[in-house]
Structures are given as C-alpha cells and as structure tokens.
Amino acid sequence: LVGHTTRAISTVGDYLEKPAKGEPEVAGPVAYLESALHQGDMAQIHADVARRGREAGAALGDDPAKHVDELAARVLEKAAVASDDTLIVSRPGTIRLVHYLPTRTFELAIHSLDISRATGVAMSPEFDEPLRSAGHLCIDVAQSEGRLADVLMATLGRGPLSEAFSLL
C-alpha cells in the first residue's frame, strides 16, 4: 500500500521528464478520474495497478521513510521549475500539469487514509486540506457521472450506497 501510494508522487516526476507537445486530450481532473471508470477490462487494470504497487513497494528498500522523503524532494524540485501549463503524457492521455496534480493529491489523500486505518495512526489536522480537496473532486466526479444525488442521500443518512458503488 505504501509503495502504491508513492506512485502518486513518482509519476509526477516521471511524466515531467518527458513533457508532451500539442493540445491536451484530457480536459481536467474529473475527466482523468472518469477515465478510470471507462478504461475497459477492470480486472486487468486492477492487476496492473497491484503489480506496479508491489514493484514500488520493493523499491522502498530498508528505510521507506527516507525513500519517500528523497522521492518527494526530487519531484518537488522538478515541479518547481515546471509551469502549470506544462503538458505531460499520463495513462489516459495528454493533460496539463495543473490538472494532473489534483489527481495525485486525491490519490495521496485516499491512500493516506488507507494507511492510517491499517496502522492505527491518526491523521494529523494539517491533512484536512488535502482531504477537502479529495472530497470536492469526488463530488465533481459524482455529478459528472449522474450519481450526485445518491452520494448526497447516503452522506445525509437517507439511504445506503450499494456495496458495489464506486466513483472510481
């Protein structure tokens, strides 16, 4: 899980090393996340994600915290010199950096919650803003997918979501 979570950081650095040309194919963060809903063979997609996560987990080495700190520093250095309009090639297609970064914050927020639950370590209050950002993006995806009413009713305790319900 930690290895998979680091991919939310490492992909930014990887993609910035190979900027794209032309026009964006992916309009923004919602379109990026929706592409996960409509990519095709979900079993294969999940298997590929799991494989990449295991590979990233193995790369953590004997000092995972040090690895993550160094990875974050390298990626932040690359991102600091890139413009918001930098075009990168992501799995669903070319996207502006400014639109790709919220999808990575989303991944970091969600998987940090997963790690918190798995380890029993509480999230710090400083993490409220990334969680708020992830929540807004979920609402935007729910609206775009025509499922906002279901999410709101469940959030207000006025009906359950089905066990298979997922926005991603």
Side-chain angles (χ1 to χ4, degrees), residues 32-42 45-46 49 52 91-92:
Y32 180 94
L33 293 178
E34 283 182 322
S35 73
L37 289 170
H38 310 290
Q39 285 182 359
D41 181 0
M42 290 308 290
I45 291 166
H46 289 299
V49 167
R52 289 189 300 269
R91 289 192 184 277

Side-chain angles (χ1 to χ4, degrees), residues 24-34 94-96 98-100 102-103 137:
E25 300 166 352
V26 181
V30 171
Y32 180 94
L33 293 178
E34 283 182 322
T94 305
I95 187 171
R96 294 189 191 287
V98 71
H99 293 143
Y100 182 64
T103 72
L137 192 47

Side-chain angles (χ1 to χ4, degrees), residues 7 22 25-26 33 49 60 63 72-73 89 99 105 108 130 132 155:
R7 289 189 43 75
E25 300 166 352
V26 181
L33 293 178
V49 167
L60 292 172
D63 192 347
V89 179
H99 293 143
T105 303
L108 286 169
R132 183 181 354 270
T155 302

Side-chain angles (χ1 to χ4, degrees), residues 24-85:
E25 300 166 352
V26 181
V30 171
Y32 180 94
L33 293 178
E34 283 182 322
S35 73
L37 289 170
H38 310 290
Q39 285 182 359
D41 181 0
M42 290 308 290
Q44 184 60 51
I45 291 166
H46 289 299
D48 291 344
V49 167
R51 178 187 45 77
R52 289 189 300 269
R54 285 190 299 277
E55 291 168 357
L60 292 172
D62 294 333
D63 192 347
K66 180 180 176 186
H67 175 84
V68 172
D69 285 344
E70 290 172 353
L71 173 64
R74 283 192 308 271
V75 172
L76 285 171
E77 189 175 300
K78 289 178 188 179
V81 296
S83 77
D84 287 352
D85 288 330

Side-chain angles (χ1 to χ4, degrees), residues 2 12 26 54 70-71 79 95 107-108 115 120 135 144 150 152 164-165:
V2 173
V12 174
V26 181
R54 285 190 299 277
E70 290 172 353
L71 173 64
I95 187 171
E107 288 283 328
L108 286 169
I115 292 168
S144 180
D150 296 334
L152 289 174
F165 182 89

Side-chain angles (χ1 to χ4, degrees), residues 10 14 25 27 48 50 56 68 71 86 116 142 146 151:
S10 67
D14 294 345
E25 300 166 352
D48 291 344
V68 172
L71 173 64
T86 297
S116 174
V151 171

